[in-house]
Amino acid sequence: MTLQSTWKGSRLDEDGTARRIAELAPWFQNLRLPSGHETAPDHPLGDYPGFKWRDVGKAIPLDLAGWRALDIGCNAGFYSFELARRGAEVVGIDADEHYLRQARWAAGLFDLEERIEFRRVQVYELARLQDRFDLVLFMGVLYHLRYPLLALDLVAEKVKRLLVLQTLTMPGEEAIEPPEDLGIDERKRLTEPGWPKMAFVERSLAGDPTNWWAPNHACVEGLLRSSGLEAIARPAHEIYLCRPAGGTSSHRRELDSATGRSRETLA
């Protein structure tokens, strides 16, 4: 049944769900609600992000009881709800209060309020968050950020077991092993296929001026290594399952200075 039919007195909308969906519009995530309604059934990407979860969900444990999870850029809460259903205690963060209102409303419908806390937090504010999480989802955020490596460094600090990263990328699967040191006269190698590269989108991509970056596959893996993470699987195109690589970051002082967190902590 379509949302349009609910406006014609359908039994589907006896509780006013369709009216509330309309009040909270626009929706970027399609949530399938217990009433049978969908929040974005005509999404241009299809059943989004359900089709992405079908790949990601296979790559992480089915039983997350005892795990704490962080959903960065949670939007309307789709991934947060899926993690909570598997038993995780979830913190979902987003910079947009519009999406957080959607998420909090939907959490009540799914009876998941006690397992999920939604907060209005920018990714860079993770610098002042002392918590660490067994599982971190960083889906569809990196390429929207002006300072992607700063953000990834901060995200990496929060990961105890697993990170799921999804990012827009440039075409191409080639990846070379960068040398320990590149000579000043060897810079032509930077143009070789498979060298880690990130394209800067000065104006707009796909009509979205916040699409700032498009790294190639080699660059994504290089960024992860630089932040102290290693990719252990690729559940689907542009999705990386990662774990901490161990060791202490050599960039900690620079990161503290960039974020100003040496002067302030967030409980």
Side-chain angles (χ1 to χ4, degrees):
M1 185 173 293
T2 66
L3 282 179
Q4 184 177 6
S5 67
T6 66
W7 293 101
K8 299 178 180 179
S10 166
R11 292 177 58 192
L12 244 183
D13 198 36
E14 288 179 354
D15 60 355
T17 302
R19 174 178 52 80
R20 189 61 177 145
I21 290 172
E23 290 171 350
L24 290 169
W27 293 77
F28 186 66
Q29 292 185 339
N30 185 38
L31 306 181
R32 297 175 181 269
L33 303 177
S35 62
H37 294 82
E38 297 180 40
T39 57
D42 300 320
H43 199 291
L45 297 178
D47 185 22
Y48 180 85
F51 71 88
K52 287 189 179 293
W53 174 252
R54 286 190 280 276
D55 293 314
V56 172
K58 296 174 185 176
I60 62 177
L62 290 173
D63 184 0
L64 295 176
W67 287 47
R68 295 193 69 226
L70 175 65
D71 182 7
I72 301 171
C74 64
N75 203 273
F78 181 97
Y79 298 120
S80 295
F81 301 141
E82 294 294 343
L83 297 178
R85 290 188 186 105
R86 294 191 181 190
E89 297 291 332
V90 184
V91 175
I93 66 171
D94 204 285
D96 194 326
E97 185 62 31
H98 170 79
Y99 293 127
L100 292 173
R101 284 194 295 271
Q102 295 175 346
R104 294 185 184 112
W105 175 69
L109 299 182
F110 290 125
D111 197 24
L112 292 172
E113 306 104 310
E114 295 185 2
R115 303 200 67 85
I116 307 173
E117 178 186 0
F118 290 110
R119 304 183 191 175
R120 187 174 187 179
V121 176
Q122 283 269 7
V123 64
Y124 307 112
E125 293 179 292
L126 291 175
R128 301 194 303 277
L129 182 68
Q130 295 178 323
D131 293 355
R132 296 180 70 219
F133 298 85
D134 299 286
L135 173 63
V136 177
L137 296 192
F138 194 31
M139 303 281 290
V141 178
L142 185 71
Y143 53 96
H144 290 294
L145 301 174
R146 289 280 291 184
Y147 313 105
L149 188 54
L150 171 62
L152 190 57
D153 281 346
L154 294 172
V155 170
E157 290 184 332
K158 306 306 169 191
V159 182
K160 292 172 65 175
R161 301 197 205 188
L162 294 174
L163 165 73
V164 181
L165 168 70
Q166 185 273 324
T167 180
L168 176 78
T169 61
M170 289 192 286
E173 294 292 313
E174 305 94 339
I176 65 172
E177 182 69 26
E180 289 297 324
D181 181 63
L182 185 69
I184 191 69
D185 295 323
E186 298 180 276
R187 284 172 288 170
K188 187 176 181 180
R189 293 198 59 191
L190 299 174
T191 64
E192 293 177 0
W195 191 277
K197 300 182 184 72
M198 181 181 285
F200 173 62
V201 182
E202 182 179 357
R203 293 188 173 89
S204 182
L205 175 67
D208 187 343
T210 73
N211 284 331
W212 290 109
W213 307 98
N216 63 9
H217 164 64
C219 184
V220 175
E221 292 197 326
L223 291 170
L224 289 167
R225 288 192 298 268
S226 180
S227 295
L229 299 161
E230 62 175 334
I232 57 176
R234 296 182 65 189
H237 178 56
E238 300 185 328
I239 298 177
Y240 296 78
L241 181 67
C242 317
R243 66 186 176 195
T248 303
S249 172
S250 60
H251 311 294
R252 181 60 185 262
R253 290 187 64 184
E254 185 176 359
L255 194 56
D256 288 346
S257 178
T259 59
R261 66 179 170 190
S262 57
R263 300 188 297 273
E264 180 184 357
T265 58
L266 181 65

